[in-house]
C-alpha cells in the first residue's frame, strides 16, 4: 500500500489532470500523464464539472442581481460554462453529429468527425443543445435552484464518461480516446458514485433515479449508434455524450425544481 502522503499527491495530480482536460485552466499535473494516468484520473471528471457549474451559477446570480430577467441570465450562465470549457464538449457534439449523420462508410464518417469544419448536422445539434439548456435554466429561474440544476447536470454528465469509455471500445487506434486508455473499475465506480450523490443531494432520491435512468438510456443508444456506424467511441462521441447528459439533467431539473424569482 502507498504511503498516505503519496496517495494525497496522487489525488491532487488526478484532480489537476481532470481539470486541465475539461477546462481552459492551466493546472495540469507536473507528473507525467502517461501510463494510463489520464484514464485513472477520470474519476475526478465530476469534480472538474462542479467547478464549471459554479462558474455558470455565479454568472447567473450576478446577472439576476443586476436586474436581468431569467432569459438573459441563463444565456450568460451558458456563455460562462462554454468559456470555461473552451467549448470542448460543444465541439465534440457538433463533430459527432456531422460524422454520425453524414457519410456512407465508417472511414468517411471518421474523416468527417476529424474535420474541423462544421456541417449542417453539427449546426442543428448546437442550436438544439443551447436552446434546450437555455430554456431549462430560464424556466427554473430561481438562482439557488439554477445552482443546483447546473451542479447536478455538469457533475452527472461527466460522471458517466468513465463508464462509457470503459464499456465502448475506441473507434480508431490513434485518437484521443484511444491514447487516454480505458479507465479502471475503481475510477468508474468513484465517478459514478460522485454523480449519483450530487444528483440525490440536488434533486432528491426519486428525481435522481429518473435522471440516472435517462442517462443510462441515452448512453446505451449513443453507444449502439457509435459502434454500428464507426466501430466504437471517439473523443467527439464522448463530448456528445456529455452534452446529451447535461441537457437531460437540466430538463429533469426544470420539470421538478421550484421556479421563482
Amino acid at each position: 500500500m502507498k504511503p498516505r502522503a503519496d496517495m494525497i499527491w496522487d489525488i491532487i495530480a488526478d484532480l489537476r489532470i481532470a481539470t486541465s482536460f475539461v477546462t481552459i485552466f492551466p493546472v495540469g499535473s507536473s507528473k507525467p500523464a502517461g501510463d494510463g494516468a489520464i484514464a485513472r484520473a477520470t474519476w475526478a471528471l465530476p469534480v472538474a464539472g462542479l467547478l464549471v457549474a459554479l462558474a455558470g451559477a455565479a454568472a447567473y446570480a450576478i446577472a439576476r442581481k443586476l436586474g436581468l430577467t431569467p432569459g438573459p441570465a441563463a444565456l450568460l450562465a451558458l456563455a460562462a460554462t462554454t468559456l470555461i470549457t473552451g467549448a470542448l464538449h460543444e465541439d465534440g457534439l457538433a463533430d459527432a453529429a456531422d460524422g454520425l449523420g453524414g457519410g456512407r462508410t465508417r472511414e468517411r464518417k471518421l474523416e468527417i468527425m476529424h474535420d474541423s469544419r462544421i456541417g449542417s448536422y453539427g449546426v442543428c445539434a448546437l442550436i438544439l443543445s443551447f436552446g434546450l439548456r437555455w430554456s431549462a435554466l430560464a424556466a427554473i429561474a430561481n438562482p439557488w435552484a439554477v445552482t443546483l440544476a447546473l451542479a447536478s447536470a455538469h457533475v452527472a454528465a461527466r460522471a458517466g464518461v468513465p463508464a462509457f469509455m470503459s464499456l465502448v471500445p475506441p473507434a480508431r487506434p490513434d485518437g484521443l480516446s484511444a491514447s487516454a486508455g480505458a479507465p479502471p473499475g475503481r475510477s468508474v465506480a468513484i465517478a459514478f458514485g460522485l454523480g449519483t450523490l450530487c444528483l440525490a443531494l440536488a434533486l432528491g432520491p426519486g428525481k435522481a433515479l429518473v435522471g440516472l435512468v435517462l442517462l443510462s438510456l441515452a448512453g446505451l443508444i449513443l453507444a449502439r449508434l457509435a459502434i454500428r456506424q464507426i466501430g466504437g467511441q471517439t473523443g467527439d462521441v464522448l463530448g456528445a455524450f456529455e452534452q446529451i447528459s447535461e441537457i437531460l439533467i437540466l430538463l429533469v431539473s426544470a420539470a421538478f425544481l421550484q421556479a421563482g424569482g
Side-chain angles (χ1 to χ4, degrees):
M1 176 176 275
K2 287 186 177 182
R4 179 170 297 182
D6 288 345
M7 293 178 64
I8 293 174
W9 282 114
D10 284 346
I11 291 173
I12 293 174
D14 287 349
L15 290 170
R16 292 175 65 181
I17 290 173
T19 302
S20 65
F21 192 72
V22 301
T23 73
I24 61 173
F25 298 135
V27 293
S29 175
S30 58
K31 296 175 63 177
D35 299 326
I38 294 177
R40 289 194 300 271
T42 53
W43 70 264
L45 289 176
V47 181
L50 181 61
L51 297 177
V52 177
L54 292 177
Y60 185 89
I62 292 172
R64 293 303 308 276
K65 283 289 186 181
L66 294 175
L68 292 181
T69 58
L75 194 57
L76 288 173
L78 290 179
T81 59
T82 304
L83 178 63
I84 292 293
T85 62
L88 173 69
H89 308 300
E90 286 82 2
D91 180 69
L93 173 66
D95 287 342
D98 280 333
L100 297 178
R104 293 185 177 274
T105 66
R106 173 182 180 274
E107 291 71 23
R108 178 55 181 155
K109 289 177 181 293
L110 288 172
E111 181 183 348
I112 291 173
M113 293 171 69
H114 191 65
D115 193 334
S116 60
R117 292 172 297 181
I118 186 171
S120 56
Y121 285 107
V123 170
C124 291
L126 288 177
I127 291 173
L128 285 172
S129 174
F130 277 102
L132 289 171
R133 287 183 291 160
W134 170 80
S135 60
L137 292 174
I140 294 169
N142 180 273
W144 174 242
V146 165
T147 299
L148 294 178
L150 285 170
S152 59
H154 282 274
V155 171
R158 290 166 179 83
V161 170
F164 198 95
M165 293 175 65
S166 179
L167 296 173
V168 184
R172 52 182 177 228
D174 58 344
L176 175 62
S177 181
S179 64
R186 178 183 175 87
S187 296
V188 173
I190 293 174
F192 180 80
L194 291 173
T196 302
L197 177 62
C198 186
L199 280 175
L201 291 176
L203 304 179
K207 303 174 185 65
L209 181 59
V210 174
L212 287 174
V213 170
L214 290 175
L215 294 187
S216 299
L217 289 174
L220 289 172
I221 293 171
L222 181 60
R224 179 174 175 80
L225 184 65
I227 291 173
R228 289 186 63 181
Q229 292 204 19
I230 59 174
Q233 46 91 1
T234 66
D236 290 330
V237 173
L238 295 178
F241 174 70
E242 190 282 336
Q243 283 284 281
I244 293 169
S245 300
E246 192 179 320
I247 291 167
L248 289 173
I249 296 302
L250 286 178
L251 291 176
V252 170
S253 300
F256 291 118
L257 289 178
Q258 179 68 38

